[in-house]
Amino acid sequence: MVSYENYKLVQITVGNKQEAIDLEKKFPESNETKLFLPAIVERPGSYLFSESSFEKLKQTKFRYNVLNENFQRTLDEEEQVTRMQNVYGRRILHTFPTHAAINEYIEELALQNQSLASVEVIGYSYENREMKIIKIGRGHKEGTKPIIWIDAGIHAREWATPVTALFIISSLLEDYSTDPITKALVDKYDWYILPSANPDGYEYTRVGDRLWRKTRSLQVGNCIGADPNRNWDFHWNEVGASYNPCSDTYAGPKAFSEKETSAMSNYIFRHKNLIKVYLTIHSYSQMILTPYGHSYFLPPNFREIMAKAKIMENAFYKTHGKRFRSGPPPYLLYPVGGGSYDWAHQVCGIPYAFAFELRPDQNSRNGFVLPVNQIQATGEETWAAVKSLAQSLE
Ligand SMILES: [Zn+2]
């Protein structure tokens, strides 16, 4: 495993745009400097610095505070609690399951709930892992009911997200017979949920580098992987992505170069007329991102989109008191092209498209390493938000 011994997670505040640009120039992303959250004027950034990078930072005038003195300790703690093997059944919802365990779990659920659920392979990853969705709906006759699509785990290191998708899946099935609201939502909609959208990257975070983000395809210069959320064919590689194949935000050699995004987009495109909601789950920093990601233009139904986002903000807050902010990335953060939900909204015409950034918040000392004892609360509040969204649809 790649070691982050003595790497410090540092929060940096920039006073103006120029300072943000200087910071990016002085500390480009590398093995010595990992980017968790880029600093912008409106929000401090979080960077993981090696000892030598941190020494360099101390020589500068950037304002910073250290959030975590040794990130490897945080990774060690996570490994301690997730090492337990052979977690089956519902207990899977209290850990960070492997890709194989995720697939096994949804197969099991489909078997136990044959009148409500089935599993379909929508494609294969670069390393030939099965990408399975579970389809949940009463008497799911294909092509008749409106669809709610959810995917998670497109960024490999965002471990909070696949297990949260499993929490939503298990809630839909388990609450069906006890909760009239859930029953109505399963009767009315077909739920297509892909809990592990980047299987190779996700597996690599267990055996190679816990902070890996991309796919695992071979690129020029022996670099590995493209950013699967910069790889979609809508304003691809125009903004917020990198041409450098070794970069964490490499857009890929062309749009849909990655087998994973290609499989997902083909499947979504085939069902686009029925899909009412496209939701992609990321972490972290507690946000509900809305179209567009690529530019400051607003979609024609922006008011309706924001009304839904506010409903979800409330649901997140009411469940465990967590504040989420919502809006388009160019306004909250910075523009990003080639993202999945822009494509879903604009190319497929799916009216409601969102990306969640789950816990923890931007000041976290853990970043992508969500403490295991927060998995359940994360699942509960995210399910509450999704449920409130589905209930609010016409
Ligand atoms: Zn992400």
Side-chain angles (χ1 to χ4, degrees):
M1 285 293 280
V2 172
S3 169
Y4 291 97
E5 191 65 36
N6 292 325
Y7 276 62
K8 294 185 199 310
L9 188 62
V10 179
Q11 189 170 51
I12 303 180
T13 306
V14 293
N16 54 57
K17 266 213 160 102
Q18 190 52 48
E19 222 183 313
I21 294 165
D22 293 345
L23 178 65
E24 206 184 318
K25 271 199 197 127
K26 184 96 184 161
F27 295 99
E29 172 220 321
S30 70
N31 289 339
E32 306 293 316
T33 305
K34 292 263 158 186
L35 193 48
F36 279 21
L37 304 171
I40 49 172
V41 179
E42 296 78 8
R43 176 193 80 178
S46 288
Y47 298 77
L48 191 62
F49 285 118
S50 70
E51 279 180 290
S52 64
S53 268
F54 185 66
E55 285 308 312
K56 222 169 103 187
L57 177 71
K58 287 203 282 191
Q59 313 303 318
T60 68
K61 286 189 180 140
F62 293 112
R63 282 171 295 152
Y64 69 87
N65 64 298
V66 176
L67 296 171
N68 189 330
E69 286 288 344
N70 184 354
F71 205 72
Q72 187 58 44
R73 292 289 82 76
T74 301
L75 297 179
D76 292 344
E77 282 160 28
E78 182 186 58
E79 215 231 322
Q80 285 285 331
V81 286
T82 54
R83 193 184 290 152
M84 303 164 301
Q85 296 296 317
N86 306 322
V87 176
Y88 292 112
R90 231 184 164 280
R91 283 193 54 209
I92 202 175
L93 300 177
H94 299 281
T95 180
F96 298 112
T98 63
H99 177 72
I102 289 168
N103 277 352
E104 207 173 296
Y105 179 68
I106 60 174
E107 287 283 6
E108 231 174 76
L109 284 181
L111 213 65
Q112 289 161 10
N113 299 276
Q114 289 186 24
S115 61
L116 292 179
S118 63
V119 167
E120 182 178 348
V121 178
I122 65 159
Y124 293 84
S125 69
Y126 181 78
E127 292 170 354
N128 223 26
R129 292 185 172 88
E130 285 180 319
M131 298 174 68
K132 287 182 176 174
I133 61 167
I134 185 164
K135 302 191 280 190
I136 299 172
R138 242 296 284 282
H140 42 276
K141 276 190 294 301
E142 292 272 8
T144 52
K145 286 159 67 182
I147 296 167
I148 294 173
W149 170 281
I150 301 172
D151 61 66
I154 199 164
H155 283 144
R157 63 192 175 187
E158 297 167 6
W159 280 18
T161 71
V163 66
T164 297
L166 293 186
F167 190 94
I168 293 168
I169 291 166
S170 106
S171 300
L172 283 165
L173 292 171
E174 285 199 359
D175 299 352
Y176 183 80
S177 52
T178 53
D179 172 32
I181 295 171
T182 303
K183 181 180 185 301
L185 294 176
V186 171
D187 289 344
K188 185 169 177 190
Y189 298 102
D190 278 332
W191 297 72
Y192 287 9
I193 304 179
L194 174 68
S196 182
N198 176 8
D200 302 345
Y202 188 58
E203 286 312 291
Y204 188 69
T205 58
R206 291 168 188 284
V207 297
D209 179 355
R210 173 64 183 84
L211 298 178
W212 190 258
R213 167 181 167 100
K214 299 189 286 180
T215 58
R216 294 293 299 164
S217 53
L218 183 61
Q219 305 293 343
V220 293
N222 282 329
C223 297
I224 303 288
D227 184 337
N229 203 35
R230 300 288 185 278
N231 191 238
W232 296 63
D233 194 8
F234 184 66
H235 293 271
W236 173 79
N237 208 11
E238 284 177 13
V239 62
S242 174
Y243 288 94
N244 172 6
C246 283
S247 162
D248 262 354
T249 53
Y250 176 48
K254 59 174 198 234
F256 294 139
S257 59
E258 302 311 286
K259 283 189 74 179
E260 297 80 4
T261 55
S262 168
M264 287 168 75
S265 60
N266 282 333
Y267 193 89
I268 292 166
F269 194 81
R270 278 209 308 279
H271 297 85
K272 67 181 187 336
N273 294 334
L274 287 170
I275 302 179
K276 298 295 168 230
V277 171
Y278 173 87
L279 169 64
T280 182
I281 306 182
H282 291 251
S283 74
Y284 66 98
S285 67
Q286 293 177 200
M287 284 192 285
I288 300 165
L289 300 174
T290 69
Y292 295 118
H294 72 282
S295 85
Y296 287 87
F297 289 113
L298 298 173
N301 67 336
F302 183 66
R303 282 171 62 104
E304 288 91 334
I305 290 175
M306 283 310 289
K308 304 293 185 210
K310 292 292 167 197
I311 288 170
M312 293 193 283
E313 271 186 32
N314 282 332
F316 273 115
Y317 182 69
K318 268 168 57 188
T319 310
H320 290 296
K322 294 295 178 191
R323 292 274 183 211
F324 279 61
R325 295 170 63 215
S326 50
Y331 293 88
L332 291 182
L333 305 164
Y334 38 81
V336 170
S340 68
Y341 75 81
D342 263 9
W343 179 87
H345 183 66
Q346 196 59 30
V347 177
C348 294
I350 297 168
Y352 296 108
F354 301 97
F356 286 171
E357 297 283 357
L358 302 182
R359 291 188 191 197
D361 68 29
Q362 64 188 35
N363 303 316
S364 166
R365 66 187 303 277
N366 288 72
F368 300 105
V369 184
L370 183 75
V372 173
N373 62 13
Q374 289 190 37
I375 293 175
Q376 183 165 349
T378 304
E380 286 165 356
E381 68 200 6
T382 309
W383 166 230
V386 168
K387 198 172 166 183
S388 71
L389 169 66
Q391 271 183 279
S392 77
L393 298 172
E394 306 72 39

